[in-house]
Amino acid sequence: MWINERYAGAISSKDLKSDERTTFSDSDVLAAMGLAGKSAPLGVALARLLAGDGRAAEDVVALLGAGIVAHAFLNKPRREISHDVARQIAVFVLDWFRDSACRVCGGVGFQRIEGAPSLSDNPCPVCRGSGKRNFDGMFDAHDRELARWAAAKVESEQAIAGPIAMRLIAQRMF
């Protein structure tokens, strides 16, 4: 998405001067994402994390963990889980989103031939040729539904923050 690319560049920008001659500057993009954080704090924290700000991982885990606790309590069957367990689920979900490649085959889907530059014809026994880690296999049956909810939440929040920031930038232009 365009705004996320601009945001990633604006985070590392050395020139945050606002220039009225340009449609919008890096400081305008940062301000728009900051304001979007009021409506979509998890989405903006995810955008920061994906833009390379490793410190945003703590914010993402805290926000996602709190959402997991609330989701577990508010949905049937009602379930109370500790914040520590919810944060651990959030860490695993975030880890999967950051790197879903199979750890055994390195994401190629086939077994490696020791000492050879090519792969074998045999699919990886762990990922069965998909090249990805099994998301459901990362969680026990007790926490799997919460992990699926958290993964869906991450996907939906990633899609929310950018458009909010874009609307804020568009309002400034007119």
Side-chain angles (χ1 to χ4, degrees):
M1 175 183 273
W2 176 85
I3 189 71
N4 289 338
E5 293 168 2
R6 280 297 310 261
Y7 184 58
I11 287 174
S12 60
S13 177
K14 294 183 189 313
D15 181 20
L16 294 178
K17 294 178 190 168
S18 186
D19 187 359
E20 292 181 18
R21 293 176 290 164
T22 62
T23 309
F24 49 88
S25 63
D26 288 341
S27 60
D28 295 330
V29 172
L30 292 173
M33 285 299 274
L35 290 172
K38 291 181 179 183
S39 301
L42 179 58
V44 171
L46 284 164
R48 279 187 17 238
L49 179 66
L50 297 174
D53 183 0
R55 296 172 298 185
E58 292 178 28
D59 295 338
V60 171
V61 168
L63 291 165
L64 193 56
I68 290 169
V69 169
H71 178 77
F73 182 74
L74 295 174
N75 289 288
K76 294 183 180 182
R78 285 193 175 191
R79 180 175 160 207
E80 288 189 33
I81 64 170
S82 71
H83 286 282
D84 291 338
V85 170
R87 289 175 63 89
Q88 191 63 37
I89 293 170
V91 165
F92 283 131
V93 168
L94 187 58
D95 178 55
W96 188 84
F97 268 96
R98 292 176 87 180
D99 182 16
S100 63
C102 174
R103 303 279 202 244
V104 174
C105 67
V108 295
F110 293 92
Q111 290 179 337
R112 297 181 183 275
I113 299 173
E114 194 69 33
S118 62
L119 300 172
S120 73
D121 293 334
N122 302 327
C124 173
V126 175
C127 69
R128 296 185 182 103
S130 71
K132 298 206 175 262
R133 288 189 286 163
N134 179 3
F135 181 81
D136 287 344
M138 294 172 58
F139 305 96
D140 62 18
H142 195 63
D143 296 332
R144 194 168 293 138
E145 189 56 41
L146 292 174
R148 287 178 185 156
W149 176 87
K153 186 72 171 168
V154 166
E155 289 177 350
S156 68
E157 286 290 320
Q158 282 181 316
I160 291 173
I164 292 172
M166 290 293 289
R167 279 194 298 276
L168 292 167
I169 289 174
Q171 289 172 357
R172 181 189 178 278
M173 292 170 56
F174 299 108

